[in-house]
Amino acid sequence: MTDTSVFMGTTILEPRNDMEFESHEAAYAFYKEYAKSAGFGTAKLSSRRSRASKEFIDAKFSCIRYGNKQQSDDAINPRPSPKIGCKASMHVKRRQDGKWYVYRFEKDHNHELLPAQAHFFRSHRSSDPPSNDVRMRRRKNSTTVSKLFSAYQNVDCLENFMKNQHDRGRSLILEPGHAQLLLELFMQMQEENPKFFYAVDLNEEHRLRNVFWVDAKGLEDYAYFSDVVSFDTTYFTSKYKIPLVLFIGVNHHIQPTLLGCALIADETVYTFAWLLQTWFIAMEERAPQVILTDQNEAIKAAVAAVLPGTRHYYCLWQILEKIPKQLDCLGTWHDSFMEKFNKCIYKSWTEDQFETRWWKLVDRFNLRDVTWVQSLYDDRAYWVPTFMRDISFGGFSTSSRSESLNAFFDNYVQVDTSLREFVEQYRVILGDRHEEEAKANFDAWHETPELRSPSPFEKQMLLVYTHEIYKRFQVEVLGAAACHLKRENTGVTETYSVKDFENNESYMVEWNTSNSDICCSCRSFEYKGYLCRHAIVVLQMSGVFSIPSKYILQRWTNAALSRHPIGEKLEEVQVKVRRFNDLCRRAIILGEEGSLSQESYYLALGAISEALKQCANLSNPVENETRADASATHVVCNDEEYQSIISSNNITPVPKINTSNKVARTLAACRNLGSTENGERNKEKVSQLEAACVKDGFQQVDPTDLTPPHTAIPMQFHSMIPALFHNHNVSPAQFHAHLHETHHTKDNV
């Protein structure tokens, strides 16, 4: 080795006897920098003070592997130790003038040095915050092209959670070959899609401690549905064979989305902080509005440190499921307790009312000295519905796990499921989720729900909500007929008592006429994201016949995947849906005509590309120019070939202006080409569209007609639809835009 070490472009001198330092701390800081460049961790081995002055006069620093393990082999729960007898060290002493010098330097190590992985050592994790501001550090594997991520090395809050050597030394308990199995899965997934993300956390012995990964679909889903996330540790805390934790979201069809998976070694604050920090970075540092977790002090501390701006709540079903175990002292009084408990948490309209009922309940069943009950009270703002307003849990917080979205994954993970079995199931999970979402997307385009009442609320949301949400909202609209209300007080904020005869319960509803705020004690909006029957009947009796826009969450609408907010006027959404459906029907006919020959394909595709570019420029000329151009790159012929096809078939070229006229002209041109090769068999279908193409190329759409007729998809496209949705995970709009293109790609156009 030379007398210098080079690391990240900076030259670090090796320790020499002629070096001087202002203090022993400065000497240690220098030794750490040298160690980092060389590739080993450091520790303060010893120090000594003067008996007379009490000042430090001697210090020794060493490699983290200096010395030998002192613990006996028969010790109970032996702690891991990195010590293997290495002699590398630096001994410094203080002169009379106060300067420190290198007394002895041992350079040689008895183990491999790891300069590329030096950031894993605890002594170096916070040594260079300016150049490593909690971003992912990447390194290439010498034998593969995959990239390995590590997020924790420079996160200050993680260092604060490392309480003792025992926590630092924990590692995953994996069967032989399982670590390699994980690596192979990650490499395969990343090869299939470079957006696949994974990260690992190694302990001081470079053994796997925690691992996290998320597929590209999870990253995409979070971009649209980042409002609420469930951090589910059930499989770990329930002692499943696989120490699995999941990040789960929910899409606009009320289907669970997998936003990340992890295997963890323990449930310390450090582990949860590392995991949340890594997930946060994977999601491009976009924090969720709400995160739901189990009641756990370590998770609570980690969320507060990593996601300080996120509202943290406990899953209600997890609280309820703990009651039989935590309060087994109740015995035969359990049912009576649950009746009072449910009344306290569900029927308390104000915080004072909750306080009164809670302490009455606790005293009645003599639970004041139960630690868990006290912890529930201390954390009441994290789980009691009374303390939750103006938020939505997106259907997550239910009364039992079997009813929760998290239960979807119970079909794939059992108590005895091994890691090998889960890895095999992982692709199945992703495939099933994509298939269900694709089917819901297709149904949203292909079917329109039926109106079941003359209610203006039902008609208002017909083309706004997705099918599944609309069906559930429809139940609330119809249920309003079984509600009777009584006004309790008047003023700017009116209070109503609503008797629900369907479940024979009474609820309190507050309605502010000045700002259209409405809140019901059933907390339907908070838990489900849409208004309940009790609020609907109050609106109706108050002369309000439309749902206030603030209570229509875009995440539940057909515009959930739109880059534009739905705005204040739902009529615009309805008209857009009508226009979308109308264009889809016309695109199907155009796609069928354009697919009859190579020439008609070029002609139709060129017209569509030009129309897309002009439409994009109308909405945002600057931002969408690139997007429109990118879409046009699918055209598989150049201008000369395109013009040659046009002229050789005596077709009038499509002008580059007046996009609406282009629709009719393109269809006419395709019909001429089709007639040449296929006779008259398709004239009738083309005529259907030509008849509708008036001067502007489009038939006027009546926004009040909310039940448009449906055009059946041509049979030759039916087999292609599931594969298109599944393989590309496209929205209905993308599906129709690429339908004919996919068809011809299969034919090697």
Side-chain angles (χ1 to χ4, degrees):
M1 181 180 291
T2 63
D3 62 348
T4 62
S5 297
V6 179
F7 179 68
M8 296 294 286
T10 301
T11 300
I12 304 296
L13 296 176
E14 286 186 352
R16 298 192 309 268
N17 292 341
D18 60 348
M19 287 184 173
E20 289 187 347
F21 308 95
E22 293 297 325
S23 65
H24 73 288
E25 290 294 342
Y28 181 58
F30 165 77
Y31 189 66
K32 281 177 61 178
E33 287 300 315
Y34 162 71
K36 184 178 179 181
S37 68
F40 65 93
T42 63
K44 293 180 179 180
L45 189 63
S46 62
S47 60
R48 185 163 58 92
R49 294 176 183 267
S50 168
R51 293 183 179 180
S53 65
K54 306 301 181 183
E55 293 181 347
F56 284 107
I57 58 173
D58 186 282
K60 190 172 184 178
F61 319 121
S62 69
C63 170
I64 193 69
R65 297 198 164 196
Y66 184 95
N68 296 296
K69 181 179 179 181
Q70 300 297 321
Q71 202 167 31
S72 62
D73 294 335
D74 58 350
I76 300 175
N77 295 325
R79 296 179 178 180
S81 173
K83 296 182 178 181
I84 57 173
C86 181
K87 299 295 185 181
S89 62
M90 186 177 81
H91 190 177
V92 295
K93 290 190 175 185
R94 182 176 179 268
R95 294 194 182 101
Q96 292 294 330
D97 60 1
K99 299 290 186 180
W100 289 74
Y101 68 98
V102 178
Y103 177 74
R104 181 181 293 112
F105 169 59
E106 293 289 343
K107 173 182 174 181
D108 295 332
H109 298 258
N110 66 348
H111 55 87
E112 181 184 4
L113 300 181
L114 304 168
Q117 291 83 41
H119 55 275
F120 287 125
F121 293 106
R122 187 173 73 92
S123 56
H124 304 317
R125 285 181 191 156
S126 300
S127 59
D128 191 18
S131 61
N132 293 287
D133 55 343
V134 306
R135 301 288 183 179
M136 284 300 172
R137 185 190 298 266
R138 302 183 178 188
R139 66 178 178 87
K140 285 191 174 181
N141 188 305
S142 58
T143 58
T144 70
V145 296
S146 68
K147 293 177 182 177
L148 187 62
F149 294 83
S150 178
Y152 70 91
Q153 66 271 15
N154 287 314
V155 182
D156 293 338
C157 67
L158 299 185
E159 186 71 17
N160 297 331
F161 295 140
M162 302 286 280
K163 296 299 183 183
N164 54 61
Q165 181 64 34
H166 184 56
D167 286 342
R168 292 195 292 270
R170 295 279 181 89
S171 63
L172 274 175
I173 300 176
L174 299 177
E175 296 179 10
H178 280 185
Q180 182 64 27
L181 188 69
L182 274 178
L183 179 61
E184 290 175 357
L185 171 67
F186 296 160
M187 289 190 296
Q188 291 172 6
M189 296 293 291
Q190 199 168 68
E191 184 176 355
E192 294 172 7
N193 193 322
K195 292 184 179 179
F196 180 85
F197 180 102
Y198 67 99
V200 297
D201 175 32
L202 306 179
N203 65 12
E204 297 295 332
E205 293 184 307
H206 293 268
R207 297 179 63 187
L208 191 63
R209 175 165 47 195
N210 303 303
V211 58
F212 166 81
W213 71 95
V214 57
D215 74 315
K217 181 61 167 59
L219 298 174
E220 179 184 339
D221 287 339
Y222 185 76
Y224 293 109
F225 306 108
S226 59
D227 52 342
V228 56
V229 173
S230 173
F231 180 55
D232 190 357
T233 58
T234 301
Y235 302 125
F236 182 85
T237 56
S238 299
K239 308 300 181 184
Y240 277 47
K241 188 174 183 179
I242 175 174
L244 178 68
V245 297
L246 301 174
F247 291 89
I248 303 173
V250 56
N251 67 13
H252 52 318
H253 301 298
I254 324 183
Q255 297 170 335
T257 59
L258 189 55
L259 304 180
C261 303
L263 302 177
I264 60 176
D266 52 48
E267 49 184 335
T268 60
V269 179
Y270 168 81
T271 288
F272 290 130
W274 176 88
L275 182 53
L276 288 172
Q277 181 70 51
T278 304
W279 177 81
F280 176 64
I281 295 173
M283 298 302 162
E284 298 182 352
E285 301 186 12
R286 296 191 306 267
Q289 297 176 23
V290 174
I291 188 168
L292 292 166
T293 73
D294 189 10
Q295 183 192 20
N296 181 293
E297 288 301 314
I299 296 178
K300 182 179 177 182
V303 170
V306 179
L307 304 172
T310 296
R311 300 176 72 172
H312 181 199
Y313 296 101
Y314 299 150
C315 291
L316 187 55
W317 63 265
Q318 291 181 320
I319 298 288
L320 298 176
E321 284 192 351
K322 290 180 180 179
I323 291 179
K325 179 180 179 180
Q326 295 288 346
L327 301 181
D328 56 351
C329 59
L330 293 174
T332 57
W333 293 97
H334 178 267
D335 291 342
S336 177
F337 171 81
M338 289 305 302
E339 180 181 353
K340 302 295 184 183
F341 183 80
N342 288 333
K343 181 180 180 181
C344 177
I345 64 174
Y346 290 121
K347 304 298 182 182
S348 296
W349 180 241
T350 65
E351 296 180 16
D352 290 341
Q353 194 174 34
F354 167 79
E355 294 278 344
T356 301
R357 289 176 174 174
W358 176 266
W359 293 115
K360 183 177 180 181
L361 173 72
V362 168
D363 290 337
R364 177 170 181 174
F365 293 93
N366 195 26
L367 300 174
R368 278 187 178 263
D369 296 330
V370 178
T371 303
W372 184 69
V373 173
Q374 183 60 43
S375 71
L376 286 183
Y377 177 76
D378 293 340
D379 291 338
R380 57 193 180 280
Y382 287 82
W383 64 277
V384 178
T386 308
F387 297 86
M388 303 171 187
R389 292 201 177 198
D390 302 321
I391 61 171
S392 175
F393 294 135
F396 268 116
S397 192
T398 57
S399 57
S400 67
R401 180 175 176 84
S402 62
E403 299 175 0
S404 70
L405 294 170
N406 308 52
F408 170 84
F409 300 96
D410 293 346
N411 299 322
Y412 306 92
V413 183
Q414 284 76 44
V415 175
D416 57 349
T417 298
S418 68
L419 180 59
R420 181 175 297 276
E421 292 171 333
F422 176 75
V423 168
E424 294 172 353
Q425 285 286 317
Y426 180 68
R427 291 180 180 272
V428 177
I429 294 173
L430 298 182
D432 289 351
R433 288 296 321 113
H434 296 175
E435 186 70 23
E436 289 189 17
E437 183 177 351
K439 184 180 183 302
N441 285 335
F442 178 77
D443 289 343
W445 173 81
H446 191 62
E447 300 175 358
T448 299
E450 295 182 0
L451 290 169
R452 297 175 58 187
S453 76
S455 169
F457 302 107
E458 187 179 354
K459 189 174 183 180
Q460 175 195 10
M461 307 310 299
L462 179 64
L463 293 182
V464 176
Y465 278 149
T466 59
H467 282 19
E468 188 60 35
I469 288 292
Y470 182 76
K471 291 175 182 177
R472 301 188 183 197
F473 176 73
Q474 203 172 39
V475 171
E476 298 302 315
V477 172
L478 297 176
C483 295
H484 176 74
L485 78 165
K486 177 183 178 182
R487 181 179 294 171
E488 298 293 337
N489 68 332
T490 59
V492 176
T493 300
E494 300 176 352
T495 304
Y496 293 86
S497 173
V498 180
K499 176 72 173 181
D500 189 338
F501 289 98
E502 187 171 322
N503 59 15
N504 199 33
E505 295 283 353
S506 294
Y507 301 90
M508 299 299 296
V509 178
E510 283 187 352
W511 164 241
N512 189 311
T513 56
S514 63
N515 58 16
S516 299
D517 283 348
I518 192 165
C519 184
C520 179
S521 60
C522 75
R523 306 294 179 185
S524 174
F525 181 76
E526 285 77 4
Y527 286 140
K528 302 175 183 178
Y530 51 86
L531 288 184
C532 61
R533 62 191 64 184
H534 320 117
I536 290 173
V537 73
V538 169
L539 291 176
Q540 185 173 330
M541 295 302 295
S542 301
V544 178
F545 299 105
S546 63
I547 303 296
S549 59
K550 67 175 70 177
Y551 296 106
I552 302 174
L553 302 183
Q554 182 161 340
R555 63 149 20 260
W556 293 142
T557 71
N558 288 311
L561 303 183
S562 171
R563 64 184 185 276
H564 302 296
I566 60 176
E568 297 293 328
K569 297 182 179 180
L570 291 177
E571 293 81 0
E572 296 179 3
V573 179
Q574 296 168 343
V575 173
K576 286 176 65 176
V577 172
R578 280 299 317 276
R579 289 197 295 256
F580 172 79
N581 290 339
D582 186 62
L583 287 172
C584 288
R585 293 198 303 273
R586 300 176 191 276
I588 288 294
I589 300 174
L590 175 61
E592 191 173 7
E593 277 300 318
S595 66
L596 296 178
S597 69
Q598 186 90 336
E599 289 79 4
S600 61
Y601 167 75
Y602 291 150
L603 182 64
L605 190 57
I608 290 175
S609 299
E610 182 64 25
L612 177 59
K613 183 186 299 185
Q614 293 192 28
C615 288
N617 289 337
L618 284 175
S619 59
N620 193 330
V622 177
E623 176 183 347
N624 294 303
E625 184 175 358
T626 303
R627 178 175 174 266
D629 289 339
S631 301
T633 59
H634 292 287
V635 181
V636 290
C637 64
N638 56 33
D639 289 341
E640 293 182 1
E641 185 179 356
Y642 175 77
Q643 294 298 331
S644 175
I645 294 171
I646 296 297
S647 59
S648 63
N649 289 276
N650 296 319
I651 299 173
T652 302
V654 178
K656 291 188 179 287
I657 57 174
N658 199 349
T659 304
S660 56
N661 286 339
K662 185 185 300 183
V663 177
R665 295 185 184 185
T666 302
L667 271 176
C670 289
R671 182 188 62 178
N672 292 336
L673 289 172
S675 298
T676 302
E677 300 185 11
N678 301 284
E680 303 296 323
R681 61 182 180 177
N682 293 305
K683 284 186 177 180
E684 181 180 352
K685 293 177 181 176
V686 180
S687 298
Q688 296 174 9
L689 189 56
E690 284 183 317
C693 293
V694 291
K695 180 180 179 181
D696 291 332
F698 290 98
Q699 184 178 357
Q700 292 295 325
V701 177
D702 181 5
T704 62
D705 180 10
L706 301 182
T707 56
H710 298 291
T711 300
I713 295 178
M715 290 300 296
Q716 66 257 44
F717 295 111
H718 281 196
S719 62
M720 158 190 342
I721 293 169
L724 180 63
F725 274 136
H726 178 77
N727 295 334
H728 302 283
N729 187 38
V730 296
S731 65
Q734 294 170 313
F735 161 62
H736 299 299
H738 293 286
L739 184 59
H740 63 283
E741 181 183 355
T742 305
H743 175 62
H744 281 282
T745 300
K746 292 175 65 178
D747 295 330
N748 297 319
V749 173

